[in-house]
Amino acid sequence: MRNLLAKTLFALLLLANAAFAADPLPSWNDGPAKQSIINFVTKVTKAGSPDFVPVPERIATFDNDGTLWSEQPMYFQLLFAVDRVKALAPQHPEWQTQEPFASLLKGDMKGVMAGGEKALLELVMATHAGMTTEEFDKTVKDWLATARHPKTGKRYTEMVYQPMLEVLTYLRANGFKTFIVSGGGIEFMRPWTEKVYGVPPEQVVGSSIKTKWETRSGKPALVRLPEINFIDDKTGKPVGINSHIGRRPIAAFGNSDGDRQMLEWTQAGDGARLMVLVHHDDAKREWAYGPESKIGTFSDALMAEAKKQGWTVVSMKNDWIRIYPFE
Amino acid sequence: MRNLLAKTLFALLLLANAAFAADPLPSWNDGPAKQSIINFVTKVTKAGSPDFVPVPERIATFDNDGTLWSEQPMYFQLLFAVDRVKALAPQHPEWQTQEPFASLLKGDMKGVMAGGEKALLELVMATHAGMTTEEFDKTVKDWLATARHPKTGKRYTEMVYQPMLEVLTYLRANGFKTFIVSGGGIEFMRPWTEKVYGVPPEQVVGSSIKTKWETRSGKPALVRLPEINFIDDKTGKPVGINSHIGRRPIAAFGNSDGDRQMLEWTQAGDGARLMVLVHHDDAKREWAYGPESKIGTFSDALMAEAKKQGWTVVSMKNDWIRIYPFE
């Protein structure tokens, strides 16, 4: 009997060693970015370490557009709105002459963009409001099942970053709760984040429009209204984190000026912290854009703050072995 | 070796049987209320059953005031506001003549109530806004550590319902995620729900005031503004559930007309559902109040709906062996 116990313990020891030795981030090149993530996780999870953080406090937040999936040639949610306008156009003959719809239906996205924020808001409201939450959920799922990215020809949910999927898994394996905190629409993300990222709907924070309780065909329904409820961007991100999570993250991942305050809020807490910015510098395998970009702006000021504060800047070109899972 | 395996398996079997046989709700008298809870949990967790619900979909929501803890002689959060006004009065000499503060400081709660909703809102804003989220968190914790209930002399966090603590634990042991969905202030509950109910801050939904990002003494802070953000009551409860959880609950627990739409929203989903209302009918051990009550109103219409829809109505007097853990 003692022999069996010894054998069993030895086998368990081997397994434990193997698990320990396996690289949790195989799509990352060795370097300071990968090392900073592993060092952080190691120290906050080591019992007795001065940096130890109890499991319930292990909160990590991730921006979505440009941090977990691509955002070029424009936010994928905007491509969804464009496709929805085209699909709904037969029911809206007035759109043929009414901006920004007229430009969009002629394929003139520059004309749409010329209308600025007001035009974009009109597009979003025309395509995101007026139906129940369940109808919108189905519309998003149907679109994702058929739509293809104009450049890669892949489904949008395939254009997620393999190295970040590994970070999500690695953090959860170490007792972290992973949240998405995105400027994108909360109801646009929830239908697919659980399947694609392993992040359940209740751990998604985003921008939203108001909803209203109604009885439709004798059944209760929540109807989506053409009215902004909350913009989860810039200073809105800490506000959204406080409202939805109610705890300060100890790790935060972003890629643009819209994530600055989320990282500052994360850093301002006590104890060990991890702040990460993904830098889009890989024109060959993804896109390269920085301060000049209309979306996902990574300003010089943000880069300067990252350096000054010791944040981790990930070079997609140098730090990532693979970009997408399908590669 | 086979002998050892057999012995081990047999021991495990005994343990499993013991766990199965143990009563998960020992503070509940046998009866239809207890039975409806156990039947529901049994059928949604039984693999292969037509009512089986996968773990991620096992969402249960609980009202707080009158469902998880007492709410008499008034909402405990209002008693907190009263104590805060008294504590802050030296810094506000104008309150001596200004309503509703003047009445409150004279101990005339009827005078306060005469000011209606407007007066209550003023009390809440004067005591809940103007400080950072961290300062408010500390204020709540400090109050709970010292304040005592006027009738029982117990701490407020001791006046939680033992039978409901058992339901929370029972559901979680069966793969449920338990949420609070309360008309009370979200930031008034979060400082203590994890310790008292095992419900972490990110699983608390409630009413809220707006917050604003500011830099204070060179550090980022969220400052609480005297402006309503969201009222999580009545039709607001399904809206709050959709906003924070993003899934429809399969079980919901309440005690008043404020919970009606939460229960209706829960019931309107597909598959097995559990809707429970706690009825305050125990004047001896707790309080007895119904349609005539100013708070926690359980109207005749609600009782009629519960009967018609087959909701479970819990009689505190008959269904609960114990009310509070300290009994």
Side-chain angles (χ1 to χ4, degrees):
Chain A
M1 230 167 116
R2 281 184 62 184
N3 191 26
L4 176 73
L5 256 176
K7 275 185 187 169
T8 310
L9 284 173
F10 185 68
L12 281 172
L13 205 65
L14 282 179
L15 276 171
N17 267 334
F20 189 78
D23 184 349
L25 302 174
S27 299
W28 290 68
N29 280 313
D30 288 328
K34 177 175 183 171
Q35 210 48 57
S36 76
I37 297 169
I38 292 178
N39 284 352
F40 171 78
V41 172
T42 305
K43 67 185 176 185
V44 299
T45 55
K46 192 180 169 184
S49 145
D51 294 312
F52 179 78
V53 175
V55 166
E57 299 287 343
R58 293 182 199 161
I59 303 288
T61 56
F62 292 79
D63 170 58
N64 185 41
D65 297 303
T67 300
L68 294 179
W69 74 353
S70 290
E71 58 184 353
Q72 297 289 352
M74 61 183 93
Y75 295 132
F76 293 175
Q77 190 173 357
L78 205 51
L79 293 168
F80 163 78
V82 167
D83 283 352
R84 289 304 299 155
V85 167
K86 289 177 186 165
L88 295 167
Q91 298 156 244
H92 293 275
E94 74 279 11
W95 285 356
Q96 299 297 331
T97 52
Q98 186 185 319
E99 291 297 346
F101 306 100
S103 290
L104 187 155
L105 292 171
K106 283 178 217 132
D108 173 16
M109 279 312 286
K110 271 194 183 165
V112 174
M113 295 304 178
E117 208 171 291
K118 187 172 164 286
L120 291 181
L121 202 64
E122 273 187 66
L123 277 191
V124 169
M125 291 309 177
T127 53
H128 288 63
M131 73 286 279
T132 68
T133 49
E134 292 191 334
E135 286 160 356
F136 186 69
D137 176 275
K138 189 180 176 307
T139 306
V140 172
K141 280 182 183 147
D142 288 350
W143 180 75
L144 287 172
T146 55
R148 299 279 178 166
H149 188 273
K151 182 180 159 193
T152 65
K154 296 288 174 184
R155 292 189 205 290
Y156 292 104
T157 48
E158 291 178 281
M159 292 180 66
V160 297
Y161 304 135
Q162 175 62 28
M164 294 304 287
L165 297 181
E166 292 166 5
V167 170
L168 286 165
T169 303
Y170 175 48
L171 289 177
R172 289 194 293 259
N174 280 280
F176 279 77
K177 228 176 189 173
T178 52
F179 288 82
I180 290 171
V181 177
S182 167
I186 190 167
E187 305 250 35
F188 178 74
M189 297 182 281
R190 280 173 162 167
W192 53 273
T193 55
E194 189 160 34
K195 201 172 157 191
V196 175
Y197 301 138
V199 175
E202 62 268 27
Q203 286 163 223
V204 177
V205 183
S207 297
S208 57
I209 57 180
K210 288 193 193 282
T211 61
K212 188 177 157 250
W213 168 272
E214 263 186 29
T215 304
R216 288 203 168 183
S217 329
K219 279 188 76 175
L222 291 175
V223 179
R224 294 168 58 76
L225 304 178
E227 193 184 340
I228 294 286
N229 179 57
F230 181 65
I231 300 291
D232 191 52
D233 198 31
K234 298 194 171 76
T235 61
K237 289 209 175 192
V239 171
I241 287 169
N242 184 62
S243 159
H244 277 255
I245 308 178
R247 304 198 214 245
R248 195 190 294 254
I250 64 167
F253 298 74
N255 77 302
S256 81
D257 288 29
D259 302 310
R260 205 188 95 203
Q261 288 86 355
M262 174 167 77
L263 269 62
E264 289 176 351
W265 180 243
T266 301
Q267 183 171 34
D270 295 329
R273 304 279 150 165
L274 177 69
M275 284 65 61
V276 179
L277 287 169
V278 174
H279 191 212
H280 293 263
D281 58 359
D282 194 331
K284 206 171 149 205
R285 296 185 302 170
E286 208 239 7
W287 283 270
Y289 50 100
E292 82 298 345
S293 177
K294 282 261 174 198
I295 58 170
T297 310
F298 198 131
S299 68
D300 294 335
L302 182 64
M303 186 62 92
E305 182 169 357
K307 280 194 181 142
K308 189 182 163 198
Q309 299 295 339
W311 296 351
T312 298
V313 177
V314 175
S315 159
M316 292 178 74
K317 190 172 170 181
N318 301 319
D319 287 316
W320 288 0
I321 297 170
R322 276 204 297 173
I323 305 283
Y324 300 121
F326 57 75
E327 275 167 11
Chain B
M1 234 167 112
R2 283 182 64 184
N3 191 25
L4 176 72
L5 256 177
K7 275 186 188 170
T8 311
L9 283 174
F10 185 69
L12 281 171
L13 204 66
L14 282 180
L15 275 169
N17 266 335
F20 190 77
D23 183 349
L25 302 174
S27 299
W28 290 68
N29 279 314
D30 288 328
K34 177 176 184 169
Q35 209 49 57
S36 76
I37 297 169
I38 291 178
N39 284 351
F40 171 78
V41 172
T42 306
K43 67 184 174 184
V44 299
T45 55
K46 193 179 170 187
S49 145
D51 294 312
F52 179 78
V53 176
V55 166
E57 299 287 342
R58 293 182 198 161
I59 303 288
T61 55
F62 292 79
D63 169 58
N64 184 42
D65 298 302
T67 299
L68 294 179
W69 76 353
S70 289
E71 58 184 353
Q72 297 288 353
M74 60 183 95
Y75 294 132
F76 292 175
Q77 189 173 356
L78 205 50
L79 293 168
F80 163 78
V82 166
D83 284 351
R84 289 303 299 155
V85 166
K86 288 178 187 164
L88 294 168
Q91 298 157 242
H92 292 274
E94 74 279 11
W95 284 356
Q96 298 298 331
T97 52
Q98 185 185 318
E99 290 299 347
F101 307 100
S103 291
L104 188 154
L105 293 170
K106 283 180 216 126
D108 173 17
M109 280 310 287
K110 272 192 183 166
V112 173
M113 296 303 180
E117 209 172 290
K118 189 173 163 285
L120 290 180
L121 202 63
E122 273 188 66
L123 277 191
V124 168
M125 290 310 176
T127 52
H128 287 63
M131 71 287 278
T132 69
T133 49
E134 293 191 335
E135 286 160 357
F136 186 69
D137 175 276
K138 189 181 176 306
T139 307
V140 172
K141 281 183 183 147
D142 287 350
W143 180 75
L144 287 172
T146 54
R148 301 278 178 167
H149 187 274
K151 181 181 158 192
T152 65
K154 297 286 174 185
R155 292 190 206 289
Y156 292 103
T157 48
E158 291 179 281
M159 293 181 65
V160 296
Y161 304 135
Q162 175 64 27
M164 294 303 287
L165 296 181
E166 292 167 5
V167 170
L168 286 165
T169 302
Y170 175 49
L171 289 177
R172 288 194 293 258
N174 280 280
F176 279 77
K177 226 175 190 174
T178 52
F179 288 81
I180 290 171
V181 177
S182 167
I186 189 167
E187 306 252 33
F188 178 74
M189 296 182 283
R190 280 173 162 167
W192 52 274
T193 55
E194 189 160 35
K195 201 172 158 191
V196 174
Y197 300 137
V199 176
E202 62 268 27
Q203 285 162 226
V204 177
V205 183
S207 297
S208 57
I209 58 178
K210 288 194 193 282
T211 61
K212 189 177 157 249
W213 168 272
E214 262 187 28
T215 304
R216 287 201 170 185
S217 330
K219 280 188 75 175
L222 291 174
V223 178
R224 294 168 58 76
L225 304 178
E227 193 183 340
I228 294 286
N229 179 56
F230 181 66
I231 300 291
D232 191 52
D233 199 31
K234 300 193 170 74
T235 61
K237 290 209 176 193
V239 171
I241 286 169
N242 184 62
S243 160
H244 278 254
I245 309 178
R247 302 198 215 245
R248 196 190 292 255
I250 64 168
F253 298 74
N255 78 302
S256 81
D257 288 30
D259 303 310
R260 205 189 95 204
Q261 287 87 354
M262 174 166 77
L263 269 60
E264 289 176 351
W265 181 243
T266 301
Q267 183 170 34
D270 295 329
R273 304 277 150 165
L274 177 69
M275 284 66 60
V276 179
L277 287 169
V278 174
H279 192 210
H280 293 263
D281 59 359
D282 193 332
K284 206 170 149 205
R285 296 185 301 169
E286 207 239 6
W287 284 270
Y289 51 100
E292 82 297 346
S293 176
K294 283 260 175 199
I295 58 169
T297 310
F298 198 131
S299 68
D300 294 335
L302 181 64
M303 186 62 92
E305 182 169 358
K307 279 193 183 143
K308 189 182 164 198
Q309 299 294 338
W311 296 350
T312 298
V313 176
V314 176
S315 160
M316 292 179 74
K317 190 173 172 179
N318 301 320
D319 287 316
W320 288 1
I321 296 170
R322 276 204 298 172
I323 306 283
Y324 300 121
F326 57 76
E327 276 168 11

